[in-house]
Amino acid sequence: MRTFAITQNITVDGSVEMITDWFDPQGQAGADMSDVLEESHRQDDRADALLLGRRTFEDFRGYWPLQTDDATGITAYLDRVAKYVVSSTLTDPGWQNSTVLRGDPVEEVRRLKEESGKDIVLTGSITLAHALITAGLVDEYRLFVYPAVQGRGRRLFPEKYEVPRLRLLESRAFRSGITLQRYAPA
């Protein structure tokens, strides 16, 4: 069975919503992000499927394919990876290697997990993340914690949802002050 991982950029106070400028997809205002990018590529090599909700998909589709001079390699990865967008309204994804999943998201992800392949990764897509977290489908949380406090914004875990214990898989600090915290359900 494939691993389903949620990879999120998150503030120290737990916000995944980008209301302020704590996150920049192309780098952090002159900070050395080479080690963060290296880790991101390492994770990309372990995945062959990207799962997104419609709004995040449309944000990605409206930004990444337009990056013609992308030194990060993110555009190239996003162009080649199989992208699955959960939507009841989107008819034509308009981006290569993209498939619209119109059924129940929980059942669709269960089906994807049973197929052969590498990791399935969800990023952004907080409404979808909440549904899949509460359904118990997440095998791993990969949190890039940014040294910022936003004081507001949507959180990774749904309101009143409890996980009694997570098992730490990895904790790593990067030169920029960002840390990677990898957890699995205990």
Side-chain angles (χ1 to χ4, degrees):
M1 183 172 285
R2 296 164 83 178
T3 295
F4 172 56
I6 291 182
T7 300
Q8 293 288 11
N9 298 303
I10 188 168
T11 62
V12 170
D13 63 334
S15 180
V16 294
E17 187 175 13
M18 292 177 282
I19 297 170
T20 61
D21 63 355
W22 61 269
F23 174 79
D24 179 348
Q26 291 284 343
Q28 297 306 112
D32 180 0
M33 298 288 286
S34 60
D35 51 354
V36 175
L37 191 57
E38 182 181 304
E39 173 60 25
S40 179
H41 290 313
R42 187 185 72 75
Q43 290 183 23
D44 291 348
D45 288 344
R46 292 176 43 198
D48 63 1
L50 178 65
L51 180 68
L52 301 167
R54 181 192 51 81
R55 285 180 291 201
T56 301
F57 176 82
E58 288 176 344
D59 287 346
F60 275 36
R61 183 184 64 193
Y63 179 81
W64 286 109
L66 304 177
Q67 305 310 302
T68 56
D69 195 23
D70 176 24
T72 68
I74 296 171
T75 298
Y77 170 74
L78 291 174
D79 280 346
R80 76 176 173 269
V81 72
K83 292 169 287 298
Y84 296 93
V85 55
V86 174
S87 176
S88 60
T89 59
L90 189 65
T91 54
D92 178 12
W95 194 3
Q96 65 192 17
N97 300 322
S98 297
T99 302
V100 178
L101 303 177
R102 289 185 176 77
D104 173 39
V106 171
E107 292 307 315
E108 294 282 8
V109 172
R110 279 193 181 118
R111 183 185 56 75
L112 286 173
K113 284 182 71 166
E114 290 174 4
E115 293 177 359
S116 63
K118 296 180 179 181
D119 294 353
I120 304 162
V121 176
L122 177 143
T123 192
S125 311
I126 195 63
T127 301
L128 178 58
H130 285 177
L132 300 174
I133 289 168
T134 58
L137 292 178
V138 181
D139 300 303
E140 187 177 331
Y141 298 95
R142 300 171 184 167
L143 309 178
F144 286 90
V145 183
Y146 282 67
V149 174
Q150 187 167 252
R152 62 192 188 282
R154 296 176 74 191
R155 309 289 182 204
L156 174 59
F157 293 96
E159 187 72 28
K160 298 184 181 180
Y161 181 79
E162 293 183 26
V163 179
R165 183 149 177 83
L166 294 171
R167 181 171 44 95
L168 181 65
L169 302 175
E170 180 182 8
S171 180
R172 179 176 171 199
F174 299 101
R175 289 185 289 272
S176 60
I178 295 167
T179 62
L180 170 64
Q181 308 299 319
R182 290 181 46 232
Y183 293 98

